Amino acid sequence: MLLFQSFRHYCFLGLIALSCLSSSCNSESNQAEKAKQPQTSTRAKPKMVYKPTGPDKAVYDLLPVSGDTLIAVKWHGGLALTTDAGLHWQSLHDQPQKHDFLYIKYLTIDQHHVLWGLDSWVGIHEPAYSRLAYSADFGKTWKNIEFDTHKFFPYEFNSLPGEPLQVIAYDGKVHQMRDRIGKNWGVVDEIPELNHSVNDTIGIDSYFSGGRYKFYSGGQLFSRIGTGWKLLTTVGFINEVSDVCACGGNTYLAGSNNAVFPTTEYLLRVRHGKVVDTTILTSESQYIEPKNLLCDNKGRLWLYNFRGIWQKSGDKLLKRY
């Protein structure tokens, strides 16, 4: 009970600053040659600063609430809460044997301070499903909604934290919630590139942040402007991106070049159409590991994946979870 009271107390204080929220803060021979010498203004290999954590450090999603308060969605179920920017964490709903166990993949918060979790699966050898969970008491208790995927199949959040809740459905349509409990939805937009019900719209292109960015394997990064696209930059030494986000006037992308071996993973900062900073991401294992990116309301950049959470601080990546 003390844990949940603390959770509600810190979240209530943090939610006062919701207006500052952002989300989660994408010819081969020539690419191989360029990968050896990226053409950028600076090129740094950050010092990795590790902090001991528990055995379950895999993270599926990360939500900035406000200030130094963030909530991590744990890969194997449950949540982890920090109110001091990752120095200390509290675990919530992560015990499978208990009735309050929570399994979601994505987490956001709407304009009414309600937390929303989403879990969906297209199905391969098993039935497809799509489920929402919501909490109106800052995570203490949760209610669940399961959709008939033949009628409505949301698979990703489209709205930013603090905005009216929107989801992207499997057919590329954007639906906005019209009530307070996730029962009534209306179509407000359509993203043809994210229509997974047909085979000719996805292609080899990669789309990120609800279709706000797209990346071509030739190295071109675009941002969406209305119904069209604007070229942000061309990065000749990578051909694959794992995530893109905007932060403080900069655009960050994490990517690699899978045409060369060993593969190197980069974190790039783009400003005014140019790559102004290139960071080589070291890995905790021998395998390349895509990172998800997030910019919080204080302008800090976070990286996370199934090996934990890092905060970028200067030329350092601080292990925070």
Side-chain angles (χ1 to χ4, degrees), residues 198-216:
V198 296
N199 296 322
D200 60 349
T201 59
I202 306 302
I204 62 173
D205 306 331
S206 300
Y207 297 87
F208 303 93
S209 187
R212 293 179 178 90
Y213 301 95
K214 73 175 178 179
F215 180 81
Y216 286 163

Side-chain angles (χ1 to χ4, degrees), residues 55-60 75-76 283-285 287-292 304-310:
D56 183 14
K57 57 185 178 179
V59 173
Y60 215 116
W75 193 285
H76 301 292
S283 172
E284 291 185 58
S285 77
Y287 301 106
I288 199 71
E289 296 174 353
K291 302 289 193 302
N292 298 300
Y304 62 96
N305 67 0
F306 65 94
R307 291 190 177 274
I309 300 173
W310 297 261

Side-chain angles (χ1 to χ4, degrees), residues 18-252:
L18 266 174
S19 61
C20 297
L21 289 173
S22 63
S23 92
S24 87
C25 153
N26 129 122
S27 99
E28 291 191 351
S29 61
N30 292 333
Q31 305 299 337
E33 289 301 319
K34 292 180 180 179
K36 299 176 183 178
Q37 295 293 333
Q39 302 300 312
T40 60
S41 59
T42 61
R43 187 172 184 264
K45 189 172 183 179
K47 179 181 179 182
M48 301 294 288
V49 181
Y50 294 103
K51 173 177 175 291
T53 62
D56 183 14
K57 57 185 178 179
V59 173
Y60 215 116
D61 196 14
L62 185 62
L63 172 69
V65 178
S66 185
D68 291 335
T69 299
L70 299 96
I71 306 175
V73 177
K74 301 169 75 171
W75 193 285
H76 301 292
L79 307 173
L81 166 73
T82 179
T83 57
D84 54 13
L87 297 180
H88 303 89
W89 294 86
Q90 298 172 324
S91 293
L92 305 167
H93 308 296
D94 63 348
Q95 301 300 313
Q97 70 275 17
K98 294 187 178 180
H99 74 279
D100 65 347
F101 176 71
L102 178 69
Y103 184 83
I104 57 176
K105 294 175 182 174
Y106 304 106
L107 182 68
T108 192
I109 190 167
D110 68 15
Q111 79 277 30
H112 302 297
H113 306 167
V114 177
L115 290 170
W116 293 90
L118 178 61
D119 176 26
S120 66
W121 174 245
V122 68
I124 299 177
H125 302 294
E126 60 284 314
Y129 68 82
S130 180
R131 305 164 183 150
L132 267 181
Y134 66 96
S135 173
D137 54 11
F138 307 113
K140 180 179 179 180
T141 60
W142 292 81
K143 294 182 180 180
N144 297 289
I145 306 167
E146 184 149 1
F147 301 106
D148 181 347
T149 57
H150 295 288
K151 299 178 181 179
F152 184 42
F153 193 169
Y155 71 92
E156 184 180 347
F157 289 124
N158 185 65
S159 52
L160 299 177
E163 295 181 348
L165 189 68
Q166 292 183 358
V167 296
I168 302 176
Y170 196 70
D171 59 3
K173 293 181 179 178
V174 178
H175 299 253
Q176 182 166 313
M177 189 176 64
R178 290 177 171 172
D179 57 12
R180 299 284 288 270
I181 57 174
K183 299 284 188 178
N184 189 2
W185 300 82
V187 176
V188 294
D189 198 2
E190 186 172 2
I191 306 176
E193 298 91 348
L194 299 185
N195 183 356
H196 293 277
S197 64
V198 296
N199 296 322
D200 60 349
T201 59
I202 306 302
I204 62 173
D205 306 331
S206 300
Y207 297 87
F208 303 93
S209 187
R212 293 179 178 90
Y213 301 95
K214 73 175 178 179
F215 180 81
Y216 286 163
S217 58
Q220 301 91 351
L221 177 68
F222 299 83
S223 64
R224 184 184 293 278
I225 299 181
T227 58
W229 294 93
K230 175 185 178 182
L231 179 65
L232 288 181
T233 192
T234 299
V235 188
F237 55 91
I238 64 172
N239 61 12
E240 188 172 283
V241 164
S242 60
D243 204 6
V244 182
C245 77
C247 188
N250 300 299
T251 302
Y252 288 90

